[in-house]
Amino acid sequence: MVARGGMARFWSLESLQMVAADGGTESSALVDDNGSEEDYSYEELCQATPRYLQPGGEQLAINELISDGSIVYAEALWDHVTMDDQELGFKAGDVIRVLEASNKDWWWGRNEDKEAWFPASFVRGYIRQCRKHTGMFTTAQLSTIFGNIEDIYKFQRKFLKDLEKQYNKEEPHLSEIGSCFLQHQDGFAIYSEYCNNHPSACIELSKLMKQGKYRHFFEACRLLQQMIDIAIDGFLLTPVQKICKYPLQLAELLKYTTQEHSDYNNIKAAYEAMKNVACLINERKRRLESIDKIARWQVSIVDWEGPDVLARSSELIHSGELTKISKQGKSQQRTFFLFDHQLVFCKKDLLRRDILYYKDRIDMDEVEIVDTEDGRDKDFNINVKNAFKIINRATEEIHLFCAKKQEDKKRWMEACESERRRVQEDKEMGMEISENQKKQAMQNARKSRHGKIKGVSYNGCPVPPPHQSLHPIHQRHITVPTSIPQQQVFALAEPKRKSSLFWHTFNKLTPFKK
């Protein structure tokens, strides 16, 4: 029973905190007798509390906390089933109050109404606070740093338990583990949230590590848990690395499994399933990066109207200039941005071409793309070239667009088809960006925009960043083969403009310069 103790070392931030009799919290290794938090060097920390930083130090620290009248709790890592009245039975996740911890293997504790001995290796130590207290870390900071790592841990425990059942210890070559991966393939999706959060965790951790007390705290936690000599950021990277290794390991296993083996088909299916899981996680991560760029692009657009782009879209598929022709035959040069579900078009400023003004948008979910032959168009009664139409199936409203070249028209037609295909793929994959993530992206974009130096243009309007910073996502991991050259995938560059002779002459005649 206690032999499994080697697996029970689970690191927790709270392993160095204590609940005082009055409900306040403090760090047992970082706070001096007066309660002040000094910026100790790690050598000073070791000299001040060497007992806590040695093997068995955690047990000693817990005993001293109990002696001081502190309330100490532990969380069960596994089920403990016993027929002995002097042993405490519990289930994984139960909270046990530790009353005495003088023995390194067996602690005395209380669970509900019963007091008895329980194996110390079956729990992880943490201090449950009697009331909310931020201490060194706010709830938001802990959520950012650790994400949903607790959920991953619970999932992996169950996955490991089922995997061990499928492993044949006497004859390992007869093991059948493929079905275990297939059974849990949906559960691996929880890694997506963690991987998406990991960059934010690194940034938050980097900020904290600039202060000595946090460096000492994390190092003390590692030593108390007798963990290998890897910094906390290395441990936090482990789940990201793990989910990427599964397809590689299954591919290697498949390579050495004969087709006659009873588990061959399941291993092959598991390999494909875990590849899809990894692809989905990568796609979600890329999509989150995409919505940040889209949010920054939107806040740079002048006179924006209506809902945010992110309310319906999460990906820019294509962009470029087209001529929009009205029913009255009026031509308007506009810059178009094709997102999933919608087509947004803007007008460039006459003098400052890097400034865009919002004009309108078209819902792509209810439209049909129609190729239009060169010549006189019967709907608009005008001659057109390199044209195509977007027709709303519900209202029968017709939009006519003309490209400068036949190649440009072809790219737009292909991009519109790609938009429909990607929307369908997102639906099949369950690709969704949460409302909270969209809201956060817009808040960050507006905050970043507001925080920049407020430049003012010649006409008194704020100068937004160049719209060229938003580029179409030309390649998608799960749909576009990497063998396709990048320039072949819906790339459309804005035509270079010749410098105006008027401005050249004007500059020469200007008697002064700022």
Side-chain angles (χ1 to χ4, degrees), residues 293-322:
K293 294 178 182 178
I294 292 174
R296 291 195 297 270
W297 169 82
Q298 181 185 311
V299 298
S300 76
I301 303 298
V302 181
D303 297 335
W304 184 269
E305 295 179 5
D308 294 333
V309 177
L310 296 182
R312 299 188 63 205
S313 307
S314 61
E315 180 173 32
L316 175 66
I317 297 170
H318 192 51
S319 67
E321 291 189 353
L322 290 170

Side-chain angles (χ1 to χ4, degrees), residues 83-126:
M83 300 296 291
D84 192 333
D85 291 339
Q86 293 196 8
E87 289 187 26
L88 195 64
F90 48 76
K91 295 182 179 180
D94 285 354
V95 175
I96 304 159
R97 181 172 176 179
V98 183
L99 302 176
E100 196 262 326
S102 58
N103 186 287
K104 67 176 182 176
D105 295 324
W106 290 87
W107 293 353
W108 184 264
R110 179 189 301 151
N111 185 8
E112 297 178 346
D113 297 330
K114 182 178 179 180
E115 290 186 13
W117 295 101
F118 65 93
S121 60
F122 271 46
V123 300
R124 62 169 176 172
Y126 80 103

